[in-house]
């Protein structure tokens, strides 16, 4: 085998041509031009502004600003998400709240400044993608550029002499390059080949996916709806705005957009770890429901789990929480049942220690026939352990005990001031007293009854049902957003890991009649893969066109290349142009 070494880069001379088309268009990224002041006038300034807006530098800056702008939306309570927290924040921060109002920090995602960044980023991406796509399509329709005059100027280079004819070498090189999935063709006395177009495809796909994500996010925010509903076992829900416990929607959402369906909670099932270090940890949360779609839809059964929502049209029903609802029966002074219902209580800890209020608003009268309202504070321990009166020791209903604390008077529900159904306003009520004159309290187990003093009636704990909280979400564009995110990930991976490179193989007869083979490679970025790949191709081609024996009278071509002694190994030339 004849000997070859990589050509060192010759010193730069003013009279030497550069790589020309061979080194151009390895990327569709816009060229950064020196800043020039635009011509005076509206058109000149508009062109200058458009060039700045569609530059990659400005697009990255806008993307960074969008990310930074989303931070206060995560840290500061948002009016569209939780009005109660916003109100609490205003009370606690009387100085900061007016500043936040002026800056729109309580509604970041609908603020003017966030919308401006969002729209500018969208325009910037569109203005960047269209010319790059057009340029890339032109590259696909064309052919790889011909070989430069001096291949020794390229970063990876090798050469050898062979007895094979130039036509044979070029044909073998063309076949081998096409076999390696290069786009190759004959260009004069050389074969020009190029590979790695998927890099630009991935780059463009990433930017297009960002646009899809922006559109999906904006569309979803404008037309979304989200509401919560607490449903006790045996009760139902119909998807109308009045049925929700809380409901919020996008600016362009209308009530008519709600998907028509209804469901009934048949049974909630929760299981927990019974022993070990994870004792009390939930193992299974699921709600068995009967649902129907439309006014005349057939009843269907399904299970809604924590990570398994029920999809009905464009709506998804999520299971978000659960708790207990003691069944309470209240009788007045004459023994008449004035209240019988399951009362949902709110969990306080992981063992579902729960609290709430039973409010009897109408129909109650004491032993003297005086009409009043009853408010009974309730405290439930699902698993009561003697000696531990303040918290449940296990989340399941193993030994439930309900502590009741009754009051009578005016609960203030007719004052016009809204109040929570889980809290008791004691401003105009009095507590029932026991025989010692202290506030009446009683611990009841299922089936037990607490007698109110002076024949004022009774309260019975009939048992315990479970409740589940459902979140019903309609947000169009989520599938498009997911698809855009996946395309963006794969597109970015392709643009980072796929190398676009070019290879040229020149075969010409030397002055002594022996064929001189030159091979060179050029990549878009500095990468060891180019010389390695060129070395593999040179080795294969060398086997088909082996080196010719050295002759003492062989002409010296050092005027065109610094060192063209054959060697099958190819390494990057130091200082070579990229």
């Amino acid at each position: 085998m004849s000997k070859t070494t990589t050509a060192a880069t010759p010193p730069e001379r003013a009279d030497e041509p550069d790589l020309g088309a061979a080194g151009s268009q390895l990327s569709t990224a816009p060229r950064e031009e020196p800043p020039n002041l635009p011509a005076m006038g509206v058109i000149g300034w508009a062109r200058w502004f458009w060039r700045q807006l569609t530059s990659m530098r400005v697009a990255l800056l806008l993307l960074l600003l969008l990310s930074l702008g989303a931070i206060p939306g995560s840290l500061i309570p948002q009016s569209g998400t939780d009005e109660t927290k916003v109100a609490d924040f205003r009370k606690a921060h009387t100085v900061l709240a007016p500043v936040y109002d002026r800056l729109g920090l309580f509604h970041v995602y609908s603020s003017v400044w966030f919308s401006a960044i969002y729209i500018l980023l969208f325009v910037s991406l569109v203005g960047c993608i269209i010319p790059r796509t057009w340029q890339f399509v032109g590259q696909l329709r064309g052919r790889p550029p011909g070989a430069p005059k001096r291949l020794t100027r390229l970063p990876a280079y090798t050469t050898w002499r062979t007895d094979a004819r130039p036509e044979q070498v070029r044909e073998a090189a063309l076949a081998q390059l096409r076999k390696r999935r290069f786009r190759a063709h004959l260009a004069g006395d050389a074969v020009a080949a190029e590979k790695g177009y998927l890099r630009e495809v991935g780059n463009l796909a990433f930017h297009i996916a960002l646009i899809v994500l922006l559109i999906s996010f904006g569309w979803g925010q404008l037309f979304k709806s989200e509401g919560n509903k607490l449903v006790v076992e045996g009760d139902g829900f119909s998807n109308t705005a009045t049925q929700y416990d809380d409901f919020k929607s996008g600016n362009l959402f209308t009530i008519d957009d709600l998907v028509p369906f209804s469901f009934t909670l048949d049974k909630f099932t929760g299981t927990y770890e019974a022993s070990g270090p994870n004792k009390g940890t939930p193992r299974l949360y699921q709600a068995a429901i009967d649902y129907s779609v439309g006014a005349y839809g057939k009843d269907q059964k399904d299970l809604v789990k924590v990570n398994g929502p029920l999809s009905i049209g464009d709506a998804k029903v999520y299971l978000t929480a659960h708790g207990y609802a003691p069944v309470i029966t209240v009788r007045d002074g004459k023994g008449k049942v004035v209240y019988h219902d399951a009362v949902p209580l709110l969990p306080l800890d992981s063992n579902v220690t729960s609290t709430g209020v039973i409010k009897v608003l109408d129909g109650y009268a004491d032993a003297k026939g005086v009409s009043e309202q009853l408010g009974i504070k309730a405290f439930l321990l699902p698993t009561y352990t003697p000696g531990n009166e303040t918290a449940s020791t296990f989340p399941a209903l193993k030994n439930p005990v309900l502590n009741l604390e009754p009051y009578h008077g005016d609960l203030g529900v007719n004052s016009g001031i809204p109040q929570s159904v889980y809290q008791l306003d004691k401003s105009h009520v009095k507590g029932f007293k026991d025989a010692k004159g202290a506030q009446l309290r009683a611990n009841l187990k299922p089936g037990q009854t607490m007698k109110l003093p002076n024949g004022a009636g009774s309260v019975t704990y009939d048992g315990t049902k479970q409740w589940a909280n459902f979140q019903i979400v309609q947000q169009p564009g989520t599938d498009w957003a997911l698809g855009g995110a996946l395309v963006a990930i794969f597109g970015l991976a392709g643009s980072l890991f796929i190398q676009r490179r070019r290879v040229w193989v020149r075969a010409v007869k030397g002055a002594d009649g022996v064929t001189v083979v030159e091979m060179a490679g050029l990549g878009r970025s500095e990468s060891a893969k180019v010389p390695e790949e060129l070395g593999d191709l040179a080795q294969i081609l060398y086997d088909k066109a082996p080196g010719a024996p050295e002759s003492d009278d062989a002409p010296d071509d050092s005027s065109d290349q610094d060192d063209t002694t054959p060697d099958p190994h190819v390494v990057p030339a130091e200082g070579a142009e990229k």
Side-chain angles (χ1 to χ4, degrees):
M1 180 183 292
S2 48
K3 181 184 176 186
T4 338
T5 58
T6 300
T9 305
E12 189 74 23
R13 295 198 303 265
D15 58 344
E16 288 184 352
D18 57 11
L19 298 180
S24 67
Q25 296 183 348
L26 270 172
S27 170
T28 58
R31 294 184 179 87
E32 294 288 342
E33 298 179 356
N36 293 318
L37 291 176
M40 297 301 294
V42 177
I43 297 178
W45 282 106
R47 288 178 178 173
W48 178 84
F49 179 77
W50 179 253
R51 290 195 186 108
Q52 298 303 312
L53 182 60
T54 56
S55 66
M56 187 60 63
R57 179 177 58 255
V58 172
L60 292 175
L61 178 61
L62 290 171
L63 190 60
L64 175 62
L65 290 176
L66 193 71
S67 303
L68 293 176
I71 293 176
S74 303
L75 301 179
I76 300 173
Q78 298 297 290
S79 57
T81 304
D82 196 328
E83 293 285 356
T84 303
K85 288 185 177 180
V86 173
D88 293 341
F89 187 92
R90 292 181 189 276
K91 292 180 181 178
H93 304 85
T94 56
V95 177
L96 279 179
V99 178
Y100 285 3
D101 274 326
R102 292 188 185 95
L103 297 177
L105 296 183
F106 289 122
H107 51 92
V108 168
Y109 303 112
S110 60
S111 63
V112 174
W113 58 269
F114 190 86
S115 300
I117 298 173
Y118 186 90
I119 294 172
L120 286 175
L121 177 60
F122 181 83
V123 174
S124 178
L125 288 173
V126 172
C128 220
I129 288 173
I130 292 177
R132 292 188 68 168
T133 303
W134 185 255
Q135 183 181 354
F136 183 59
V137 170
Q139 293 179 20
L140 291 177
R141 295 177 63 183
R143 289 184 169 188
K149 182 178 179 181
R150 292 176 59 86
L151 293 179
T152 55
R153 294 172 56 87
L154 299 182
Y157 172 82
T158 188
T159 183
W160 71 91
R161 294 156 55 86
T162 180
D163 290 331
R165 288 178 300 159
E167 296 81 5
Q168 293 176 334
V169 176
R170 290 194 288 266
E171 290 176 1
L174 183 63
Q176 184 59 38
L177 288 167
R178 287 177 174 173
K179 185 177 180 180
R180 292 286 189 102
R181 298 189 301 277
F182 278 84
R183 292 181 64 203
H185 71 105
L186 289 171
D189 59 359
V191 176
E194 188 169 4
K195 189 178 182 180
Y197 287 89
L198 286 179
R199 179 188 181 94
E200 296 303 325
V201 172
N203 203 338
L204 292 173
F206 171 74
H207 288 84
I208 293 173
L210 284 182
I211 292 180
V212 172
L213 282 172
L214 289 175
I215 294 176
S216 301
F217 177 77
W219 186 267
Q221 291 299 311
L222 290 173
F223 290 93
K224 77 171 184 178
S225 70
E226 181 180 309
N228 290 279
K229 179 62 179 179
L230 186 151
V231 183
V232 179
E233 289 176 330
D235 292 345
F237 166 77
S238 179
N239 193 27
T240 59
T242 56
Q243 288 275 304
Y244 284 96
D245 296 330
D246 61 80
F247 181 81
K248 57 180 179 291
S249 62
N251 295 334
L252 299 182
F253 184 87
T254 64
I255 300 302
D256 294 335
D257 295 329
L258 287 172
V259 177
F261 70 88
S262 60
F263 67 83
T264 300
L265 176 60
D266 289 336
K267 183 180 180 182
F268 180 88
T269 303
T271 60
Y272 309 88
E273 291 287 348
S275 60
N278 296 323
K279 181 180 179 181
T281 302
R283 297 182 58 185
L284 176 67
Y285 277 169
Q286 65 181 28
I289 65 172
D290 289 337
Y291 73 95
S292 61
V293 181
Y296 305 102
K298 295 182 179 180
D299 289 340
Q300 304 177 62
K301 294 183 178 293
D302 206 333
L303 291 176
V304 183
K305 301 180 181 180
V306 174
N307 294 317
L310 171 64
S311 296
I312 305 175
D314 293 333
K316 288 188 176 181
V317 181
Y318 294 89
L319 176 63
T320 58
H322 107 287
Y324 296 111
V327 181
I328 302 297
T329 300
V330 178
R331 293 177 173 84
D332 63 8
K334 297 181 180 180
K336 177 184 175 182
V337 175
V338 295
Y339 183 89
H340 178 76
D341 203 357
V343 183
L345 304 182
L346 293 182
L348 298 176
D349 54 30
S350 59
N351 285 329
V352 204
T353 304
S354 305
T355 184
V357 177
I358 304 161
K359 296 183 179 182
V360 182
L361 305 179
D362 299 308
Y364 171 78
D366 60 13
K368 298 179 180 180
V370 179
S371 296
E372 289 185 306
Q373 294 176 337
L374 293 183
I376 307 171
K377 296 181 66 175
F379 189 76
L380 175 68
L381 303 180
T383 300
Y384 169 71
T385 301
N388 188 351
E389 310 290 335
T390 59
S392 174
T393 57
F394 196 74
L397 289 169
K398 288 192 171 183
N399 183 28
V401 169
L402 181 64
N403 178 272
L404 298 178
E405 184 179 324
Y407 294 83
H408 63 99
D410 183 6
L411 300 182
V413 294
N414 298 322
S415 63
I417 301 175
Q419 59 177 248
S420 172
V421 296
Y422 302 103
Q423 295 179 348
L424 177 64
D425 183 5
K426 297 182 181 179
S427 303
H428 302 89
V429 296
K430 297 180 181 180
F432 285 97
K433 305 299 182 179
D434 59 14
K436 298 180 180 179
Q439 170 64 44
L440 177 63
R441 292 183 178 87
N443 290 333
L444 304 181
K445 291 189 175 183
Q448 294 182 343
T449 298
M450 177 180 68
K451 296 289 185 179
L452 299 177
N454 303 320
S458 64
V459 182
T460 303
Y461 175 27
D462 293 321
T464 309
K465 291 185 178 181
Q466 299 192 73
W467 59 258
N469 190 77
F470 297 94
Q471 185 180 64
I472 296 89
V473 178
Q474 283 184 230
Q475 187 166 3
T478 53
D479 294 338
W480 284 95
L482 176 60
L486 294 176
V487 172
I489 292 172
F490 286 109
L492 182 61
S495 65
L496 291 176
F497 298 111
I498 297 176
Q499 296 294 327
R500 189 170 176 185
R501 61 270 193 201
R502 289 172 180 163
V503 172
W504 293 273
V505 181
R506 175 176 286 144
V508 295
K509 282 193 175 183
D512 58 352
V514 179
T515 301
V516 178
V517 181
E518 291 181 287
M519 294 186 66
L522 176 66
R524 174 183 171 183
S525 59
E526 296 184 8
S527 173
K529 291 183 178 181
V530 175
E532 289 176 0
E533 189 170 33
L534 187 67
D536 294 339
L537 291 169
Q539 184 63 56
I540 296 172
L541 188 59
Y542 188 91
D543 293 339
K544 296 184 178 181
E550 296 284 348
S551 60
D552 296 336
D553 56 348
D556 185 9
D557 295 333
S558 59
S559 58
D560 291 333
Q561 54 195 42
D562 296 321
D563 185 3
T564 56
T565 24
D567 187 337
H569 301 289
V570 181
V571 294
E574 284 186 28
E577 294 181 5
K578 294 293 185 282

